[in-house]
Amino acid sequence: MNPKYLKTLSRGIAVFVLAALLFGAPLPARAVVAQLLPENASAVFTQLDLYPNIETIGVVVSGTNLSKTAQLMVRQSDDPTWHSAHPLVRIDDGRLVGSLFGLSPAASYSIKVLDGTTEISGSTTTQPDGLQFTPSVILHVNDDALPGGNGSAAAPFQTIQEGVNHAGPGTQVLVVDGIYREAVTFPASGVAGNWIQVKAEGSGAILDGSENLTGDIWTPHESKAHVWFTKIGASIRYLARDQKRFYMYDSLADLLQGRGHNNVPMNEGWYIEPSTWKLYLRSLDDPASHAWQVPRLNRAFEAASRDWFWIEGFEIRFYGGTEYGCGVCTKNASHVVIRGNRIHNLQTGIFVDWDGGENQGNDSRIEFNEVYDPPVNEWPWNAVKGSSMEGTAVVVRGHIGAIVRGNEIHHFFNGIYTGSSAALENSGIAFDADIYSNHIHHIGDDALEPEGTCINHRFRNNTIDTSFVGISLAPVTQGPTWVLRSTFTNYTGRGLKWDRNSDGIVLIYHNTSWTNASSANAMDLISPVHNAILRNNIFQSNGYAFEEVPTGSTGHDWNNDNWYTTRGSSGPHFKWENIPYNTIGELCAATGLECTGYESFPGLTNPGGGDFTLLPSSPNIDRGVVIPGINDGFAGSAPDVGAYESVLDSAIFGDVPPQLLGMDLDRASLQCRHHQRLCDESSALLP
């Protein structure tokens, strides 16, 4: 039997077994199960590994003859009662993997895994919500200081690099407002609990990698109107006009013809001739009337094989000289905090990378940053996709443990990427990542993009609006990958996209997907796809509810989802394996998919105005199925379907923003503190 087919079939049976445990779904035929399980299938647990985050814990069990799934139980240390959690699932290397959700920060938990009479247990403590750091040494930096300072308040260093060069464990490099034209590297590491912290003292400490070009420096082209050039003395990978990104042509010939990538007409842009370093512009008006930001440096902060460092509070802008620009780039670095920075006008905002040993590239915390690069999201998709303009705000490609939370990412081509397209089966890349409570909007392509093994990638409570694709699963090769309680709204392409024969286990629970874009499908399967479970989701669109033209998809368990399309009787509502179905009943009868799903109008409060909570009359109130460890804290007789559970009493909490409904109050308060405009007047109502 073909090994890839066997692997896909094995995962498919794991999905059915998991669905049977959770929802009472029927198991596949006994003969098929017998092909894949050893004759003596008595499980032996040998090791329990726990990966604590702030509100979640990753759980991994090693052993021999492990079943397709196993029961997971949890209790807080002062709670005598064990609580059922979402079952674990077996991945390709034989380990059982899963996650615990809805935990309290800085709390101790006992955990056990059971398979019949086989049991293994352990305990761990979740991470604190806010990391505590009291520096033992403070070194001061001021760009207006005289050279030769010693880092004291009276004689500060002139550059951030000087401060970092003198910093050891427990040191804070405190940077006053000013413009710092430098690229900072870390020659040393901190130690456990004693970071090297580089922190802006106020709100105006700026790292700027560019020089400004202004004035009458441009020579008109001898034969082409609207084309100018000047010599800049070095290559660049990025250019901005008046602090907004300017389009880069693929060649000088394309610039002269106004021809963008994929032959898309583009009236303005730039190209640098590598043999002469002449910077050519195609501009509708005189370039001398603008200021041009020309990067001379590549990375604002860079750390390779350094640990325990913390970067907070900076504005970072206009990097990308001889290489593509990056705001904060780390490689094989552990225990990293990147917090509260405003990063813009560069190819990649934050990049966490790993190709080292097991003790490298672990434990990154990326929180409360703002990352943006306008107007790349406004250019035609075909003019950017596959070109040098295709950037990503946050790339998580480290080793073990990443928390990406509370960030605002907007006006970028791609939002958050996790995994590696170059190593699709490497389970060591980005193992266990918690991506939550991020606000991602105005994205030219994929807002969320897991790619590769994506083991225990948890995408939860994210607010995605105005993107081409809400989440792209193309492909997930192992999983489990979780998509939970997020909203995907006002997309112009599709809410969920699958491609490249994705066959890892993907669990999609309690999301709301809505668009009013013409002919947009809620979900597209561009290639055959395998092994996904969908429950309790709302999808509303004007195209197909979902469309799959290719054939060969297997191993899915989709049920109890609300699929609504405005097509009505004007066209099929579903297309599966290239066969159209006019109703969900026809789909169920032919495929076994969504036999308890429905096509009711969802009853969202005010989707056009950004409120995706449920009206009291919504058919999705109390209509969800119970999923242990996912929706245990529901109000009413059953969970609500969609991203938001109706748990807040408006008489008490007033006009709480819809992005906060369904969150616990601590997390809602956290979002208000770091994204005030999200909360407006209602922040006073939250603790």
Side-chain angles (χ1 to χ4, degrees):
M1 185 178 290
N2 181 281
K4 182 169 178 58
Y5 171 77
L6 186 64
K7 182 173 70 173
T8 300
L9 181 60
S10 177
R11 289 187 191 137
I13 291 179
V15 166
F16 283 115
V17 173
L18 177 59
L21 284 174
L22 288 169
F23 315 115
L27 287 169
R30 184 181 302 273
V32 177
V33 177
Q35 292 182 52
L36 298 164
L37 296 179
E39 291 183 10
N40 178 12
S42 177
V44 177
F45 295 157
T46 59
Q47 185 170 325
L48 174 64
D49 293 306
L50 302 173
Y51 302 90
N53 300 291
I54 300 170
E55 303 169 352
T56 64
I57 297 173
V59 181
V60 177
V61 174
S62 303
T64 57
N65 293 333
L66 300 186
S67 300
K68 300 293 182 183
T69 67
Q71 186 178 7
L72 178 62
M73 306 287 288
V74 63
R75 65 178 179 87
Q76 200 162 341
S77 293
D78 58 356
D79 181 358
T81 304
W82 287 94
H83 303 277
S84 294
H86 194 284
L88 306 181
V89 296
R90 198 176 77 192
I91 64 172
D92 289 352
D93 63 11
R95 291 179 294 173
L96 290 161
V97 178
S99 293
L100 295 166
F101 296 91
L103 308 179
S104 297
S108 296
Y109 288 90
S110 297
I111 295 150
K112 63 181 177 180
V113 178
L114 305 97
D115 183 4
T117 60
T118 304
E119 178 179 326
I120 194 169
S121 61
S123 62
T124 192
T125 300
T126 52
Q127 296 184 32
D129 186 9
L131 297 173
Q132 300 299 313
F133 173 60
T134 302
S136 57
V137 176
I138 299 177
L139 299 176
H140 297 268
V141 177
N142 188 330
D143 69 323
D144 292 328
L146 295 174
N150 60 13
S152 66
F157 293 123
Q158 192 179 57
T159 68
I160 299 170
Q161 187 66 66
E162 286 180 281
V164 173
N165 287 347
H166 287 82
T171 300
Q172 180 185 74
V173 179
L174 192 61
V175 183
V176 304
D177 291 357
I179 297 179
Y180 299 85
R181 301 190 186 277
E182 53 182 309
V184 180
T185 60
F186 287 79
S189 296
V191 298
N194 280 299
W195 288 266
I196 293 175
Q197 184 187 62
V198 187
K199 186 175 182 179
E201 185 174 15
S203 60
I206 302 169
L207 277 87
D208 190 321
S210 71
E211 66 170 311
N212 255 5
L213 296 184
T214 58
D216 191 16
I217 61 172
W218 301 97
T219 301
H221 192 276
E222 63 272 13
S223 61
K224 283 288 185 180
H226 303 296
V227 176
W228 288 262
F229 66 88
T230 192
K231 195 167 184 177
I232 63 171
S235 182
I236 58 172
R237 294 295 187 98
Y238 188 102
L239 181 68
R241 178 178 67 182
D242 299 331
Q243 314 239 344
K244 290 187 176 181
R245 187 170 195 172
F246 207 49
Y247 184 83
M248 182 181 180
Y249 292 101
D250 291 340
S251 68
L252 180 57
D254 286 341
L255 180 146
L256 295 175
Q257 297 299 319
R259 183 175 59 224
H261 191 65
N262 289 320
N263 295 318
V264 177
M266 296 295 291
N267 290 328
E268 294 188 302
W270 68 279
Y271 181 78
I272 188 161
E273 191 173 54
S275 61
T276 64
W277 290 336
K278 285 183 179 178
L279 174 61
Y280 284 86
L281 303 179
R282 184 180 184 92
S283 176
L284 296 179
D285 62 358
D286 187 346
S289 64
H290 300 280
W292 300 85
Q293 290 74 49
V294 178
R296 296 303 192 184
L297 302 172
N298 296 322
R299 298 176 176 91
F301 288 102
E302 183 173 15
S305 301
R306 297 290 182 258
D307 303 327
W308 293 100
F309 62 89
W310 180 323
I311 298 166
E312 180 172 351
F314 292 94
E315 179 179 353
I316 299 170
R317 67 190 190 190
F318 305 121
Y319 283 78
T322 57
E323 301 175 13
Y324 287 118
C326 180
V328 182
C329 277
T330 74
K331 188 169 188 176
N332 300 327
S334 296
H335 312 295
V336 177
V337 179
I338 304 167
R339 190 177 198 272
N341 302 286
R342 187 154 65 98
I343 304 172
H344 60 96
N345 291 99
L346 30 68
Q347 186 79 358
T348 304
I350 298 168
F351 196 125
V352 176
D353 199 7
W354 170 77
D355 65 359
E358 286 300 306
N359 294 324
Q360 294 181 303
N362 303 324
D363 181 29
S364 301
R365 190 183 279 215
I366 301 167
E367 57 185 14
F368 316 131
N369 302 283
E370 183 181 11
V371 188
Y372 56 98
D373 186 29
V376 66
N377 62 295
E378 299 173 11
W379 294 325
W381 185 85
N382 279 333
V384 179
K385 186 68 176 178
S387 78
S388 62
M389 310 297 290
E390 186 176 351
T392 302
V394 177
V395 177
V396 178
R397 198 179 290 168
H399 185 26
I400 299 172
I403 294 172
V404 184
R405 64 164 182 162
N407 301 284
E408 181 177 8
I409 296 168
H410 59 100
H411 297 89
F412 236 92
F413 194 68
N414 294 302
I416 299 175
Y417 179 99
T418 62
S420 174
S421 60
L424 291 176
E425 294 290 351
N426 187 339
S427 61
I429 293 177
F431 186 96
D432 201 274
D434 216 11
I435 317 296
Y436 67 100
S437 297
N438 299 287
H439 183 203
I440 306 174
H441 59 95
H442 294 90
I443 300 299
D445 195 20
D446 302 327
L448 297 172
E449 191 175 4
E451 197 167 277
T453 57
C454 301
I455 298 171
N456 258 350
H457 287 202
R458 294 171 291 266
F459 298 91
R460 57 189 184 84
N461 298 93
N462 295 294
T463 302
I464 313 298
D465 186 70
T466 314
S467 63
F468 184 63
V469 175
I471 184 167
S472 170
L473 303 148
V476 172
T477 63
Q478 290 195 40
T481 298
W482 312 76
V483 185
L484 310 175
R485 292 211 180 271
S486 295
T487 55
F488 303 95
T489 57
N490 293 303
Y491 51 87
T492 56
R494 65 276 285 180
L496 277 74
K497 180 190 81 177
W498 306 80
D499 200 3
R500 298 177 66 190
N501 201 44
S502 182
D503 62 354
I505 295 172
V506 179
L507 308 169
I508 301 175
Y509 302 144
H510 281 289
N511 301 282
T512 297
S513 171
W514 182 93
T515 191
N516 199 32
S518 176
S519 302
N521 298 338
M523 186 167 75
D524 276 336
L525 294 82
I526 299 172
S527 70
V529 173
H530 316 272
N531 307 325
I533 296 180
L534 276 67
R535 287 294 189 282
N536 297 349
N537 302 287
I538 296 173
F539 301 92
Q540 180 174 338
S541 66
N542 294 324
Y544 282 103
F546 57 77
E547 181 179 24
E548 184 201 31
V549 174
T551 60
S553 290
T554 60
H556 295 303
D557 188 279
W558 303 352
N559 253 322
N560 214 72
D561 299 297
N562 182 184
W563 299 92
Y564 178 77
T565 172
T566 59
R567 280 184 157 203
S569 59
S570 64
H573 294 187
F574 305 89
K575 181 177 281 188
W576 182 251
E577 305 270 290
N578 207 29
I579 299 174
Y581 299 98
N582 291 324
T583 68
I584 204 166
E586 293 177 8
L587 175 77
C588 165
T591 70
L593 296 173
E594 291 294 352
C595 291
T596 60
Y598 48 98
E599 296 188 76
S600 306
F601 184 71
L604 304 174
T605 299
N606 181 15
D611 187 347
F612 300 97
T613 59
L614 301 178
L615 291 166
S617 59
S618 170
N620 290 298
I621 296 284
D622 294 347
R623 195 161 178 174
V625 295
V626 176
I627 308 173
I630 302 296
N631 57 13
D632 310 88
F634 59 85
S637 59
D640 297 341
V641 172
Y644 301 126
E645 179 74 18
S646 301
V647 297
L648 296 181
D649 187 335
S650 61
I652 299 174
F653 292 101
D655 296 326
V656 175
Q659 292 92 332
L660 305 183
L661 294 175
M663 293 184 184
D664 62 76
L665 292 182
D666 287 341
R667 190 159 73 249
S669 178
L670 175 149
Q671 285 287 77
C672 278
R673 289 198 302 272
H674 293 281
H675 295 299
Q676 187 63 38
R677 63 180 173 274
L678 176 67
C679 302
D680 299 324
E681 299 297 326
S682 62
S683 60
L685 301 171
L686 297 169

